[in-house]
Amino acid sequence: MALGVVDYVVFGIMLIMSASIGVYYRFTGGKQKTTQEYMLGDKNQSIFPVAFSLMASFITAISMFGLSSEVYTRGTQFSVIVVSYVIATPVIGYLYLPVFFKLGNLSLYEYLEKRFGRLTRVTTSLAFSVQMILYMAIVLYVPALTLEAVTGLPQSASIVLVGLVCVFYSTMGGIKAVIVTDLLQSLLMYASVIAVVGVALYETGGLSEILKISNKYGRINFGNFDIDPTVRHSWFSILIGGFFTQISLYAVNQTQIQRFLTMKDYKTAVTALWCSLPLVVVISLLTSLSGLAMFSKYYDCDPIKSGRISSGDQLMPLYVLDTMGSIPGLTGLFIAGIFSSAMSSVSPILNSMAAITMEDYIKPFRKQEISDKKRVYLMKILVLTYGGVCITLSFLAKYMGAVLQSALTIFGVIGGPVMAVFTLGILLPYINQKGALTGLIFGLTFSFIIGFGGPKPPVENLPSFTNACTLFNNSGSTQFSSSNQEMLHEDGYFYLYRISYLYYIVLGFMVTFLVAMIVSAIFRGTNRDYNPDLFTPYVANRLKRRDRDNERS
């Protein structure tokens, strides 16, 4: 089905507004001629836009499609991840952020050079770069999947379109354009999800009816408290894995720390963090509800089994097509929201990738100082370059499986060891360069083995039905039943590969942490000249008290 004229108008307005914001900030203010403006927004950005920008960075079409599909096919258990967001926020704001905000380095990884030496800095920065490049590829691929499912437009055209618009305003307007477009695009994301839920409430007859149908077929399931680490989703795996993931994304991630550094002071940055929390929680819950809404429509004619779509990640666009296709502009609003979610994630990553490439890979290895004007010019070239790499890799994202699990796996295998190195740095003064670097290498190696090694057991879905489908009307094909391979998968797979993907980040963190502690203890030096600014406030205060006591004695 093709989009109507109104749909194209709505979609086109979003693209034009996003591009225009980039042009506006290119020719206003300081015209993006200094690093301070281009990368840090002159350190005077407002709380409200930054809070939305923090939310939008990692609430993407991956979340919107992946979470709604997860709830549709396997129930609501994963939705409890919002609890981990609440638990993680004070840890981010009061343990990690004070250190990085006080130092104020454009590259987060400059901290690691001060704490553990240049080699640790470059290694960790490279790990982050790989993580973000892979993530951007998935983020760009998802809207292309949507548009193809709804309109038949080739994925290649969609990837190139959203990629080029995103690269354009990121290059032209710098971090200011990124933050303001994130605000616009966040509102569109909310509007698109609310439209899906609103139509479902109207069609089904209210929230109680959606919940009644969902509960009848086992989609409302919050009761898995199994401590077995091989259980894919339980309260333990979701809360523990979600807690570590949230910290790795918000506390030790260049993209988010760079947002915090656009604020005038630490207090304002923490306020923006707290303001972003309800935004993340609400859109996550709305997206979960949209999964139940879709199930209430398709519970007796599953579109995957009936052959209408090929994967669960296409459920939401199909639902929009079936329910909103006749309402002018609503389909366009939905697609605008999906594309907005992609651009609001890719644009800040492009900006942060350019920053760390300049600060971590170019600047430290040049003998002559680079002028500020030339630095900005080079960083714009870098944004263009990373945009091209991202667009190219997006064509390969379809081979990575379900988008939600793929994204969280990428975050886990790299995020865990990287988070451990920063945590060791700010908490444990005795950890040294040999320990940190050895731990990081061991942790990354271990994480990649469990994350991308295999084979891994197939994921089991809850029963689905095709009773009401015109193509399937015999009892033999109406109910999904797991194959023997799926039912007996525990016997045929190595234990490490059966562990829930949500624990990858936890295991990577633990291996890095333990190895670093052991190696640092073995090669413990005599130098105790610690800079208190490199540690979280509690540890810094202890070091200062120790120094005062030593001076008195």
Side-chain angles (χ1 to χ4, degrees), residues 65-276:
F65 289 175
L67 181 53
S68 61
S69 173
E70 173 70 31
V71 171
Y72 178 96
T73 55
R74 302 176 193 104
T76 54
Q77 183 70 55
F78 187 80
S79 305
V80 302
I81 198 169
V82 298
V83 179
S84 69
Y85 299 161
V86 178
I87 299 171
T89 298
V91 178
I92 296 164
Y94 304 114
L95 191 68
Y96 294 88
L97 193 54
V99 181
F100 306 134
F101 199 93
K102 188 172 185 178
L103 293 174
N105 304 128
L106 176 56
S107 169
L108 171 65
Y109 307 98
E110 191 171 335
Y111 166 84
L112 293 178
E113 181 172 352
K114 294 176 180 178
R115 185 70 177 84
F116 298 128
R118 179 172 292 183
L119 187 56
T120 307
R121 171 185 181 177
V122 173
T123 304
T124 311
S125 182
L126 284 171
F128 166 79
S129 298
V130 172
Q131 179 188 39
M132 289 296 103
I133 288 171
L134 291 174
Y135 178 66
M136 282 194 296
I138 298 177
V139 169
L140 267 187
Y141 164 69
V142 171
L145 183 72
T146 308
L147 212 56
E148 183 182 55
V150 175
T151 68
L153 187 69
Q155 289 182 20
S156 56
S158 305
I159 289 171
V160 172
L161 176 63
V162 68
L164 289 179
V165 172
C166 189
V167 171
F168 174 79
Y169 72 75
S170 301
T171 306
M172 293 284 286
I175 194 72
K176 289 182 180 179
V178 168
I179 289 172
V180 175
T181 50
D182 281 356
L183 173 59
L184 166 68
Q185 292 158 359
S186 298
L187 296 175
L188 284 170
M189 286 164 57
Y190 266 98
S192 60
V193 177
I194 290 171
V196 169
V197 173
V199 169
L201 292 174
Y202 175 78
E203 281 207 337
T204 311
L207 180 61
S208 60
E209 191 63 24
I210 291 175
L211 297 178
K212 179 181 177 182
I213 294 171
S214 301
N215 189 52
K216 179 180 178 181
Y217 291 94
R219 261 54 185 185
I220 298 179
N221 51 358
F222 295 105
N224 193 331
F225 291 91
D226 200 328
I227 62 173
D228 183 355
T230 64
V231 174
R232 182 171 177 266
H233 286 164
S234 69
W235 274 85
F236 291 96
S237 67
I238 294 168
L239 290 187
I240 296 172
F243 174 80
F244 276 76
T245 300
Q246 188 74 351
I247 291 177
S248 74
L249 292 181
Y250 278 75
V252 295
N253 186 291
Q254 171 71 23
T255 305
Q256 299 295 60
I257 293 297
Q258 201 169 324
R259 298 290 217 310
F260 289 126
L261 292 178
T262 65
M263 313 297 289
K264 64 180 180 179
D265 53 37
Y266 165 72
K267 183 179 179 181
T268 311
V270 172
T271 303
L273 171 66
W274 280 107
C275 289
S276 72

